[in-house]
Amino acid sequence: MLRLDDLLIFVQTAEAGSFSAAARQMDLTPSLASSCIQRLERELDARLFVRSTRRLRLSEDGERYLPHARSILAAVEGGQHVLAQERREISGTLRLSAPSDFGRNVLAPWLDEFQQSHPGLSLHLRISDQNADFFQQSLDAVIRYGVLADSGLVSLPLAPGNLRTLCAAPAYLERFGTPQTPDDLRQHNCLRYVMGEVTHERWSFQLPDGAQTVTVTGNRVSDDADVVRRWAVAGLGLIYKSRLDVFADLEAGRLVEIFPTTYGEPAPLQLVSSHRTAVTPALQKLREFLQSCCQDRVPAPLV
């Protein structure tokens, strides 16, 4: 069985050009260094050095084996570094902003679990459906749906395959019927939300024969997406929301998906940072954790 110490002495000797020089670098005696090389040669059944009274040089087998020995040592060192990084406790403060519905009902419980694993971490969470300002609000990251438009920011995907899904409470569907096509939405009460000054009332669907957009109407509008979802659960109308937001309601039967999930409009979830230097180890660990949390809630695309 190969010993890492022997490999290290072999590499050091090859680079130093003598047993004595390698031994000095490793605080060993020349005889011990020579013994380690002899043991390695027996294990490999190969002669690694050509020895003479005046000089020491690598043999042909030694020349061929040297890059592999270096690669083995580098792999071991890399593995030790990864484990050390994993064991290193993250600490400090993470200041985050998230959309209202996702932040309150999905993200908050996930953050509880994340903080239990990293008790040295302090979390500051802002809940808002409005655009966040990194600098005025001193944010480390913003969690948002959609594709990043500002190239000056850094986007770390959390759920790139997430889609919007059309759904309603069973009570609503029993009373008013289930839409069969996007055109049928014109005859239904569609619950809408406002972001900024824009009301999201043009609902797009990716149908087999192409995209279709329908302008919907309804008797309730809010600038808080969580409120809109609660209206739908109460049986007051249809909603068209991120599947991540309504996953728990679908699992519990409080809401029912109406069209196949693959017809939904893309709604990728991003973790957005102001600059690459702002992506700290704590933020990277949070990103990996949230990615794993999102994985089972996003349906696999049809092939």
Side-chain angles (χ1 to χ4, degrees):
M1 181 178 294
L2 297 181
R3 296 176 54 166
L4 291 178
D5 288 346
D6 295 350
L7 287 175
L8 181 58
I9 292 169
F10 166 62
V11 172
Q12 292 280 49
T13 302
E15 293 175 350
S18 73
F19 290 131
S20 57
R24 283 196 300 271
Q25 293 173 3
M26 302 184 66
D27 196 23
L28 302 172
T29 64
S31 60
L32 180 56
S34 178
S35 297
C36 291
I37 296 298
Q38 291 173 14
R39 180 169 54 210
L40 180 60
E41 289 177 327
R42 287 195 300 271
E43 289 292 337
L44 296 174
D45 192 21
R47 190 179 183 188
L48 300 176
F49 290 100
V50 177
R51 302 163 178 83
S52 69
T53 55
R54 291 190 170 186
R55 61 190 296 247
L56 180 75
R57 62 179 177 83
L58 285 168
S59 66
E60 290 185 6
D61 284 343
E63 292 278 4
R64 286 194 295 268
Y65 189 66
L66 180 60
H68 297 285
R70 285 174 172 154
S71 178
I72 292 169
L73 293 172
V76 171
E77 183 179 357
Q80 291 171 336
H81 177 73
V82 168
L83 291 178
Q85 289 291 102
E86 288 294 325
R87 287 192 294 264
R88 187 175 301 160
E89 180 58 49
I90 57 176
S91 59
T93 301
L94 267 183
R95 296 175 176 84
L96 307 171
S97 173
S100 62
D101 198 356
F102 179 81
R104 290 191 188 102
N105 303 303
V106 183
L107 179 64
W110 288 351
L111 290 180
D112 291 343
E113 182 180 347
F114 184 72
Q115 195 171 34
Q116 286 174 3
S117 300
H118 305 285
L121 192 66
S122 175
L123 294 170
H124 293 190
L125 179 62
R126 289 177 176 267
I127 298 294
S128 175
D129 285 323
Q130 308 310 310
N131 289 326
D133 188 311
F134 277 99
F135 304 104
Q136 274 196 344
Q137 299 175 344
S138 299
L139 295 171
D140 295 304
V142 173
I143 297 174
R144 284 293 182 267
Y145 289 111
V147 178
L148 183 64
D150 187 345
S151 60
L153 301 176
V154 177
S155 174
L156 304 173
L158 297 177
N162 185 52
L163 302 171
R164 297 190 186 281
T165 183
L166 181 70
C167 48
Y172 177 88
L173 298 177
E174 289 173 10
R175 185 176 178 186
F176 298 102
T178 301
Q180 301 300 311
T181 68
D183 285 330
D184 292 344
L185 298 181
R186 305 180 200 277
Q187 313 304 319
H188 282 266
N189 193 44
C190 296
L191 307 171
R192 297 158 295 155
Y193 72 95
V194 176
M195 185 171 181
E197 300 300 321
V198 179
T199 301
H200 287 256
E201 56 192 5
R202 289 175 57 81
W203 294 0
S204 296
F205 301 89
Q206 309 296 318
L207 303 179
D209 56 351
Q212 182 177 354
T213 300
V214 179
T215 301
V216 300
T217 59
N219 62 8
R220 295 196 179 209
V221 181
S222 175
D223 65 350
D224 189 317
D226 183 27
V227 170
V228 177
R229 183 189 59 81
R230 290 171 185 267
W231 286 341
V233 170
L236 301 176
L238 300 169
I239 55 169
Y240 190 40
K241 279 182 60 62
S242 158
R243 197 171 194 273
L244 285 168
D245 290 355
V246 297
F247 182 84
D249 294 318
L250 296 172
E251 289 282 287
R254 294 185 292 267
L255 292 175
V256 177
E257 288 182 285
I258 296 171
F259 295 155
T261 304
T262 50
Y263 289 2
E265 186 178 29
L269 187 67
Q270 320 279 344
L271 182 67
V272 182
S273 182
S274 60
H275 192 271
R276 292 218 170 269
T277 58
V279 183
T280 61
L283 198 58
Q284 185 59 44
K285 276 193 176 293
L286 176 64
R287 184 248 183 131
E288 294 167 0
F289 174 77
L290 295 180
Q291 277 183 317
S292 66
C293 290
C294 291
Q295 189 172 4
D296 294 335
R297 297 182 173 222
V298 178
L302 293 180
V303 178

